[in-house]
Amino acid sequence: MKLQAVSNRKLYIQIADQIRDQILAGEVEAGRQLPSERDLAVSLGVSRPTVREALIALEVAGFVEVRVGVGAFVRDQSKGSAALPDEGHSPIEIMRVRRLLEPEAAALASQNISPEGTARMAEAMRRMQAETANNRWSSESDRMLHLTIAEGSGNSMLREVLDLLWNSRFEVVDTKFHEHLASMSAVRTHIMDDHARIVAGIVQGNAEAAREAMAAHLDFVTASMLGAWD
């Protein structure tokens, strides 16, 4: 039997490998724009979100520069580039799992959160409002709010799973993905409004309002991740 080795690397990293090899082979010169996400997706037979994740991985490694709303441009390789990230989860997959779990965590928190948890939510909101007013965004403050809600659900297993998902937010590809989102003031403002509705639902003890507000928030972030570079 003649068998081929099966790669267990993430699909977006396999795609990034191919694009990197083309760059290193001189198929695309420094400063030139890569084909559009749509064209790359068709050529490679994969989805556009997978191509987007591959481009972010290439950006992290120094092979391309992603310009939001324009495209990806090849960087000068004469100064050398880092290796592609070999580990890490798909940012899109992380968001989809959060979408399954966090709305229910918010609903549970509306019934179970402690006064200390409510005070911690208020502190997280104050931090994010100050950061947004200064055209900044802190993933730490964002994490503080979401994990306070998870803790407030009263379900320790749900809290542990969400903590694991949020730890993945600090992987290099996911971090860069959210840096691009946070660079857009309209996105930052929308997220702050979302957070205010989530917190209001929890504080009011309205499980359905908290659940719907969290679901709408995560849907918006996912849509922004998929649409920001169109």
Side-chain angles (χ1 to χ4, degrees), residues 84-142:
L84 288 170
D86 197 34
E87 299 295 334
H89 301 85
S90 158
I92 301 297
E93 288 182 358
I94 291 170
M95 286 302 305
R96 286 172 177 159
V97 178
R98 287 181 59 197
R99 175 62 174 80
L100 294 173
L101 300 177
E102 289 201 59
E104 193 59 31
L108 289 169
S110 74
Q111 306 303 304
N112 298 308
I113 197 165
S114 66
E116 293 78 12
T118 300
R120 188 168 171 80
M121 283 196 307
E123 174 60 23
M125 288 296 292
R126 282 193 293 271
R127 291 185 186 183
M128 286 188 286
Q129 286 164 351
E131 290 157 358
T132 301
N134 288 295
N135 297 317
R136 294 188 297 108
W137 187 259
S138 165
S139 59
E140 285 291 351
S141 298
D142 197 10

Side-chain angles (χ1 to χ4, degrees), residues 22 24 57 75 98 101 107 141 144 169 171 181:
Q22 294 291 310
L24 293 177
R75 299 184 64 179
R98 287 181 59 197
L101 300 177
S141 298
M144 176 181 174
R169 278 282 304 273
E171 294 170 353
L181 291 183

Side-chain angles (χ1 to χ4, degrees), residues 1 8 11 17 26 44 56 67 71 91 93 106-107 119 153 156 161 165 201 215 226:
M1 297 175 63
N8 62 357
L11 179 57
D17 277 337
L44 293 162
I56 297 297
R67 301 177 191 170
E93 288 182 358
S153 73
S156 61
V161 172
L165 289 171
L226 297 177

